[in-house]
Amino acid sequence: MYCIAKDKDYQETAEVYHVSYQQVYQWVKKYETGGGDALKDRRGRKKSREELTPKEKIKLKIKEIESENERLKAENAFLKKLEELERRRS
């Protein structure tokens, strides 16, 4: 807002806020194209299920199934190892 109020004086804004000229330019550009929401930091934010596209929902379901499959394999291997140890002890 400061930069826009100063007739897009990127250099002065960069000096005032101790950031690079390029950073101020990118902020102004994002603000002008997407408003205040465009400036929000969305890194690490996960979409809710409602926000996912059908393709993303399928990928998520596959990932969940693969994860469950790995858990079941580990559980199965553990039980086999336990049976083997019990057989040796007897």
Side-chain angles (χ1 to χ4, degrees), residues 9 16 27-28 31 44 56-57 60-61 65-66 71 74 83-84:
D9 188 346
V16 168
W27 285 340
V28 171
Y31 182 79
E56 289 172 328
K57 286 181 182 178
L60 179 61
K61 187 66 177 172
I65 291 170
E66 288 173 345
R71 186 189 65 76
E83 286 176 1
E84 178 67 28

Side-chain angles (χ1 to χ4, degrees), residues 5-6 19 24 26 29-30 34-38 56 58 65 86 90:
K6 295 286 187 171
V19 294
V24 175
Q26 288 299 317
K29 187 175 171 185
K30 283 182 181 181
D37 267 358
E56 289 172 328
I58 291 170
I65 291 170
E86 287 178 354
S90 298

Side-chain angles (χ1 to χ4, degrees), residues 34-48:
D37 267 358
L39 296 173
K40 289 183 181 175
D41 185 5
R42 288 182 169 59
R43 292 177 294 184
R45 178 187 172 276
K46 291 186 178 181
K47 292 181 180 179
S48 67

Side-chain angles (χ1 to χ4, degrees), residues 32-84:
E32 289 179 335
T33 58
D37 267 358
L39 296 173
K40 289 183 181 175
D41 185 5
R42 288 182 169 59
R43 292 177 294 184
R45 178 187 172 276
K46 291 186 178 181
K47 292 181 180 179
S48 67
R49 284 203 182 262
E50 296 80 38
E51 293 177 298
L52 296 175
T53 65
K55 189 175 182 179
E56 289 172 328
K57 286 181 182 178
I58 291 170
K59 284 184 178 183
L60 179 61
K61 187 66 177 172
I62 289 170
K63 199 173 190 181
E64 289 171 350
I65 291 170
E66 288 173 345
S67 185
E68 175 71 3
N69 192 25
E70 287 299 314
R71 186 189 65 76
L72 291 171
K73 282 180 181 179
E75 185 178 314
N76 194 19
F78 174 78
L79 291 173
K80 284 181 181 180
K81 188 71 169 178
L82 185 61
E83 286 176 1
E84 178 67 28

